[in-house]
Amino acid sequence: MGAETSGSDPALRELVREAETSLLECKVCFERFGHRQPRRPRNLPCGHVVCLACVAALAHPRTLALECPFCRRACRGGDTSDCLPVLHLLELLGSALRPAPAAHRPAPCGPGTLTCHLAFGGWDTLVNPTGLALCPKTGRVVVVHDGQRRVKIFDSGGGCTHQFGEKGDAAQDIKYPLDVAVTNDCHVVVTDAGDRSIKVFDFFGQVKLIIGGQFSLPWGVEITPQNGVVVTDAEAGSLHLLEVDFLRGVLRRTDRLQAHLCGPRAVAVSWLTGAIAVLERPLALGAGGCSTTVKVFSASMQLIGQVDTFGLSLFFPCKITASAVTFDHQGNVIVADTSSQAVLCLGKPEEFPVLKPIITHGLSHPVALTFTKENALLVLDSAAHSVKVYKVDWG
């Protein structure tokens, strides 16, 4: 009877899909939990749940010591136990669950929204990633994270092709990467909060330029159609445009485009109009909690659109905490929201805000967004340590 109801009730089918994505999937390897040994859900002492195969992969071969991939609490493989609620849920849903094929199967969304077609990364590959970019020439995906080599480059299928940027204290090392961008001629630009600098590498990891001493806290970085580098300074409250000779590794000019911003972090440039979107998020917050503001400037740096957390709350039932911003190919402003674990379209700046959720399922903590030439949306999910590729579902 349960299976019959599942086939006839759309609300129940959606509930089952949500359970598969949110509760019944290991967030390290993205495989669905099961009763058999490799995929059996195991409780870590901290309360997080991973599959038995990932416990074995994370544990030291001799001491069996491991760290939780989410909160870093230390434990031993023998300290884990079966997660009975997940096992009971697997039994309860029974035949209502569809057979689980590949690890990265599409996660269906509502009509007219986007569907996840691929996810790659995971704890073995990415550690607390913070920034995401696409190489305009090759289409390869560049991610900065907290691993030993800070920059990882993936092909379009999610395979890691190479990595560079050692974790360390030398001038050419990357101490704490916040964001990344790739220029039109394939140079990789990283903002480093560790020594408050901007570092430029060629696509194979050779250092071309280090820009230090000019910024209080460089945060967001983006490339203009003219190959300029746009950078936010979160502590100074400013927005800068850098003109760089990448081949020679020379900084030719620095212009301050905006001052008196409030904790500017993420930045995006529309290749359609030249508009620049800046996400403001104060570094020091009071008891009122987290408030964010999205400001959009024209190519001539006139303010053409602005909306904040309060304004968005008038159109959306939940509080919105914007964590990333980008433009789609039509010039619409797209933001990631960590409060509702969603991605939202705010419309064009002159229409702010025309709020439309475009991803509402399958995200844990989205921190970066970018569109491919083929109009797929890449979302960097920091809590899942992965990149998720979403496409329009025409079905």
Side-chain angles (χ1 to χ4, degrees):
M1 180 185 250
E4 185 180 321
T5 305
S6 169
S8 60
D9 187 342
L12 183 55
R13 286 202 306 273
E14 183 60 31
L15 180 62
V16 170
R17 292 186 189 122
E18 178 65 20
E20 286 190 84
T21 303
S22 302
L23 301 175
L24 301 182
E25 185 180 79
C26 175
K27 296 304 181 185
V28 176
C29 66
F30 304 108
E31 291 280 1
R32 203 186 72 181
F33 291 124
H35 290 281
R36 295 183 181 276
Q37 285 293 342
R39 300 300 162 209
R40 199 168 179 85
R42 301 288 290 179
N43 281 317
L44 302 182
C46 58
H48 290 109
V49 181
V50 300
C51 70
L52 183 60
C54 287
V55 170
L58 293 168
H60 189 279
R62 290 196 306 274
T63 65
L64 298 183
L66 65 119
E67 284 187 347
C68 171
F70 308 108
C71 67
R72 303 291 185 89
R73 178 173 166 180
C75 66
R76 293 171 55 84
D79 298 334
T80 68
S81 60
D82 278 344
C83 182
L84 296 181
V86 173
L87 289 170
H88 290 160
L89 185 58
L90 283 166
E91 266 184 45
L92 181 66
L93 292 177
S95 60
L97 285 174
R98 297 171 299 160
H104 306 308
R105 65 190 182 282
C109 301
T113 60
L114 301 180
T115 299
C116 184
H117 283 248
L118 175 70
F120 58 88
W123 179 257
D124 291 353
T125 307
L126 295 174
V127 181
N128 302 325
T130 55
L132 169 73
L134 272 176
C135 177
K137 280 190 175 179
T138 66
R140 295 198 167 177
V141 180
V142 182
V143 179
V144 290
H145 71 130
D146 196 28
Q148 184 60 40
R149 292 187 177 178
R150 303 300 213 182
V151 182
K152 285 219 169 188
I153 299 180
F154 301 87
D155 60 29
S156 58
C160 181
T161 61
H162 60 288
Q163 53 189 329
F164 59 83
E166 293 294 327
K167 175 181 180 179
D169 295 323
Q172 71 274 13
D173 293 339
I174 301 176
K175 296 175 176 59
Y176 188 78
L178 291 177
D179 200 6
V180 64
V182 183
T183 68
N184 303 334
D185 50 3
C186 301
H187 286 85
V188 178
V189 184
V190 178
T191 51
D192 189 346
D195 57 7
R196 299 172 185 254
S197 70
I198 297 170
K199 291 168 181 172
V200 181
F201 303 84
D202 67 21
F203 207 62
F204 300 100
Q206 294 298 312
V207 178
K208 301 292 289 187
L209 177 64
I210 299 174
I211 306 171
Q214 298 192 30
F215 302 98
S216 299
L217 182 58
W219 198 297
V221 61
E222 185 61 289
I223 306 301
T224 70
Q226 298 78 30
N227 219 32
V229 180
V230 178
V231 181
T232 61
D233 190 327
E235 278 191 3
S238 53
L239 178 69
H240 302 263
L241 175 63
L242 312 182
E243 181 185 330
V244 178
D245 184 335
F246 293 101
L247 292 178
R248 292 182 174 85
V250 175
L251 175 63
R252 295 199 177 280
R253 179 173 174 176
T254 302
D255 292 323
R256 188 170 66 177
L257 302 179
Q258 287 289 326
H260 311 299
L261 298 172
C262 188
R265 298 197 185 186
V267 62
V269 178
S270 170
W271 282 45
L272 179 68
T273 65
I276 298 177
V278 177
L279 177 61
E280 292 182 319
R281 185 170 178 175
L283 294 173
L285 297 167
C290 182
S291 176
T292 56
T293 302
V294 179
K295 290 182 177 178
V296 183
F297 301 91
S298 67
S300 59
M301 294 314 297
Q302 300 299 310
L303 183 65
I304 57 175
Q306 175 176 327
V307 64
D308 60 12
T309 295
F310 175 75
L312 290 173
S313 69
L314 301 177
F315 297 87
F316 201 64
C318 305
K319 178 183 176 181
I320 293 176
T321 305
S323 56
V325 63
T326 192
F327 288 93
D328 68 12
H329 295 311
Q330 290 74 46
N332 295 299
V333 177
I334 311 295
V335 297
D337 173 27
T338 53
S339 292
S340 61
Q341 301 167 332
V343 176
L344 313 170
C345 176
L346 304 184
K348 293 180 171 60
E350 59 272 15
E351 303 168 346
F352 267 9
V354 182
L355 193 64
K356 177 187 175 185
I358 58 175
I359 300 173
T360 57
H361 297 80
L363 294 175
S364 301
H365 193 79
V367 296
L369 305 167
T370 190
F371 278 92
T372 69
K373 290 180 179 178
E374 295 77 23
N375 212 29
L377 176 60
L378 305 188
V379 182
L380 184 63
D381 192 335
S382 182
H385 312 282
S386 64
V387 178
K388 298 177 180 179
V389 183
Y390 287 82
K391 298 179 182 180
V392 175
D393 184 6
W394 298 106

